[in-house]
Amino acid sequence: MAPTAQVVIENSEIFEAHEGGKLSVELKSPLDTQRALSIAYTPGVAQVSRAIAGDATLAKRYTWANRLVAVISDGTAVLGLGDIGPAASLPVMEGKSALFKTFGGLDSIPIVLDTKDTDEIVETIIRLRPTFGAVNLEDISAPRCFEIERRVIEALDCPVMHDDQHGTAIVVLAALLGASKALERDMRALKIVISGAGAAGIACANILLAAGVGDITVLDSKGIVGVGRDDLNEFKAELATRTNPRGLTGGLAEALAGADVFMGVSAGLVPEELIATMAPGGIVFAMSNPDPEIHPDLARKYAAVVATGRSDFPNQINNVLAFPGVFRGALDAGARRITEKMKVAAAEAIFSVVGDDLSVDYIVPSALDPRVGPAVAAAVAAASEDSVG
């Protein structure tokens, strides 16, 4: 089990690490002779271009596009910083590309778009399709992110995933599998409360439903998402038809009373006294960064398992456990879509890495565990049989 420690990083160290950006392009072989230059560029490259012009499928073999992930954002929902714009979001997208390379062995290109117009974003991605083999949508605000992802998936013949939704959901399911097993509970019988009905909250609800959980209550800033409300957007309204089976109304107090699991993805604080009303031996995932919805030390007074999104507490729920392996597996399999079945398989693979080390303070592996990426990739590829084009 990985030890936890408070890590303090000086500002100067952070800025020095980012100076000039975090990425570079490396050659697969050196261009140190005239012959090498003639093969890599003119005149040799013309033969390859002519071949691809005659048979477009050859691009998969003779360019990097088939294995290249485009990391695309408009900078409207970056980390906990909100709408900071494309330029300020680029360091985050560069970091995402660095993670793809380190944990998935995949090349990727960060692309930030200077528009918030849904039609323009979708059209731009479609126009760029010959350049890449998969699309990682990132830090796009809700509810726009749902439509953008849906339309891009429909338009393209390659894997597309909005990581803020599905990466989070995959790791949440993995963590819940671990917590349930550690507590010897039936995950499907748990009463789960999700605070936040944005991108991550809705995706978490969807994957938990797909995994067989039957009692999920979701809240937005106005209270419990239910069929009786007339102020819900189309995405929340649809979710209301599949959640809140007990027909609860009200707010967090009503939702948490007797609940087994609290999942926070909304950045809103949760009073200690409400966590105290949960069922004994509960599970708390306080995932907002940098400040969890409730401090882990307070949550542990009432919950048997506590997880956060931070690295300085046990049980870090971190998307890097999911997305590199998910995209690697989808590309390895030649999948045209990343399906719910593939996402569930990814979560199960993450949980499987924990193995015999499972405990209430170790329900998911470390984000740095080198076994995770390959395990997820293999599971996703195996689950993608129906998605292969």
Side-chain angles (χ1 to χ4, degrees), residues 32-117:
D32 53 1
T33 67
Q34 188 64 44
R35 178 177 176 80
L37 185 61
S38 297
I39 291 173
Y41 197 54
T42 185
V45 71
Q47 295 183 36
V48 180
S49 293
R50 288 193 192 100
I52 294 173
D55 180 359
T57 64
L58 293 176
K60 293 183 178 181
R61 181 174 181 181
Y62 295 114
T63 74
W64 72 343
N66 190 50
R67 304 288 293 175
L68 184 69
V69 181
V71 180
I72 300 176
S73 179
D74 64 357
T76 55
V78 181
L79 302 176
L81 305 176
D83 184 355
I84 60 175
S89 73
L90 187 55
V92 180
M93 303 312 123
E94 287 186 4
K96 199 81 174 188
S97 289
L99 297 176
F100 265 117
K101 189 67 173 180
T102 301
F103 299 105
L106 292 173
D107 291 314
S108 61
I109 294 181
I111 300 171
V112 292
L113 304 178
D114 191 12
T115 177
K116 299 179 184 179
D117 184 270

Side-chain angles (χ1 to χ4, degrees), residues 27 69 79 109 126 140 142 158 221 236 250 272 320 328 361:
L27 300 179
V69 181
L79 302 176
I109 294 181
I126 292 171
I140 300 173
C158 67
S221 60
K236 295 179 185 179
E272 177 183 349
V320 75
R328 177 62 183 264
D361 285 332

